[in-house]
Amino acid sequence: MIFVILRTVIERFLVLVAASILIFVLLNLLPGDPATVMLGLDAQPESIAALHRQLGLDSSLTTRYLRWIGGLCTGHAGSSYIYDVPVWQLIRERFQSTLPLIAFATGLSLAIGLPVGAVAATNRGSILDLTVMSTLQTLKSIPDFWLAMMMTLLFSLTLHWFPASGFPGWKNGIPNGLRALFLPAVALAIPQAAITARFMRSSLIDTLSQDYIRTARAQGYSKTAVLWRVAMPNAFIPILTLIGIQIPVLVTGAIIVESVFNIPGCGQLLLEAVNQRDIPIVQNLVMLIVAGVLLMNLILTAIVGWLDPRLAETGA
């Protein structure tokens, strides 16, 4: 198990290095000069050249990459070109809404998907199962941005149950913050809940066909006890792997949903930085997202290996 975790850490580190190179190269291939964006199209060449020297854009690509990586390793990510404040300060402020939004959406996805999938599995082949599966297929295909707009129209502009946009911050009270994040979280969670339910159904059907389930029934366990005490814990192990796959989807979905609901989170910050060619924000924020996803996958891999040592032995 320790060998598998060590090997996984090395693999994730190599992926992180490759991701840093790819991020840096792609950002420098983007059309548009940050100095020209800041000074305007009518700026004189001398002013643009001076700003290039000030921002360090006159150095070679290799020098700029090594300077960026060195800053990351020492905790100095530089300052934003547009906002002229430390990058980490901006990201830290925006994460106060983005992280709770992703966590909220993940929790809702599991809270909806797991019981729905269990109901479908225990009623396999019935009308209820067919209805659930048809509904899940429809929900899975709904774009989260369209769902966000429809929910805003219904629950905010028509019923006035939730705010249509904005985030008041946690200083104004946790209930107000959760109320502002509820609709965005639901918009993110519904498509992922449909996938979770389908995955849970397949996993539970496979688990219920195992020999130890028949043994538990032969020992006198009730149908409910077999389902919740024996089958569900084992069927949940593959769901942990699914969570690791869904997290990047939720992160990218949060970028769009935050724009729809005008939430001042990392997604909105990233879009603004890309439009304004604010390279320090883009490369550091994307790198932080990649590192966070890899770390979460590593943690989930360790948990799955601990729960099922057979997966660790096979290197899964």
Side-chain angles (χ1 to χ4, degrees), residues 120-174:
T122 53
N123 294 275
R124 182 184 181 185
S126 66
I127 297 179
L128 177 60
D129 180 30
L130 295 175
T131 303
V132 169
M133 294 302 294
S134 300
T135 304
L136 293 177
Q137 185 64 33
T138 302
L139 293 176
K140 186 180 68 171
S141 61
I142 296 178
D144 45 27
F145 70 89
W146 183 87
L147 183 60
M149 291 188 292
M150 294 301 101
M151 292 176 63
T152 301
L153 179 63
L154 176 60
F155 295 106
S156 299
L157 302 180
T158 303
L159 298 177
H160 304 288
W161 290 356
F162 299 96
S165 64
F167 179 69
W170 301 110
K171 293 181 180 180
N172 293 321
I174 294 179

Side-chain angles (χ1 to χ4, degrees), residues 27 29-38 55 57 81-82 270-282:
L27 282 177
L29 290 177
L30 284 176
D33 178 23
T36 303
V37 173
M38 295 173 66
L55 300 177
L57 297 176
Y81 292 164
I82 304 300
L270 183 59
L271 289 178
E272 293 172 354
V274 170
N275 291 332
Q276 298 173 345
R277 301 300 183 268
D278 200 335
I279 294 178
I281 290 180
V282 177

Side-chain angles (χ1 to χ4, degrees), residues 155-232:
F155 295 106
S156 299
L157 302 180
T158 303
L159 298 177
H160 304 288
W161 290 356
F162 299 96
S165 64
F167 179 69
W170 301 110
K171 293 181 180 180
N172 293 321
I174 294 179
N176 290 329
L178 293 177
R179 186 167 175 266
L181 293 179
F182 182 78
L183 289 183
V186 171
L188 282 174
I190 291 298
Q192 299 308 313
I195 297 174
T196 300
R198 290 175 61 89
F199 206 87
M200 185 64 195
R201 177 184 180 275
S202 300
S203 179
L204 190 55
I205 288 175
D206 180 67
T207 301
L208 290 173
S209 65
Q210 300 298 316
D211 292 337
Y212 60 84
I213 297 295
R214 288 189 286 270
T215 301
R217 289 170 177 166
Q219 290 176 345
Y221 282 91
S222 65
K223 183 177 180 180
T224 302
V226 169
L227 176 63
W228 293 103
R229 295 176 56 183
V230 183
M232 285 292 289

Side-chain angles (χ1 to χ4, degrees), residues 16 19-20 23 68 72 282-292:
L16 198 61
S20 69
I23 292 168
W68 171 45
L72 279 179
V282 177
Q283 62 186 15
N284 285 292
L285 182 52
V286 173
M287 194 65 184
L288 183 62
I289 292 173
V290 172

Side-chain angles (χ1 to χ4, degrees), residues 1-2 12 25 46 56 61 70 73 123 131 135 147 167 170 202 250 252 264 278 290 297 299 313:
M1 182 63 189
I2 295 177
R12 297 296 190 273
V25 171
E46 297 79 7
L61 291 178
C73 295
N123 294 275
T131 303
T135 304
L147 183 60
F167 179 69
W170 301 110
S202 300
L250 290 172
T252 54
D278 200 335
V290 172
N297 284 331
I299 294 173
E313 294 174 0

Side-chain angles (χ1 to χ4, degrees), residues 251-265:
V251 171
T252 54
I255 296 175
I256 306 301
V257 170
E258 284 182 355
S259 298
V260 174
F261 286 95
N262 195 29
I263 296 176

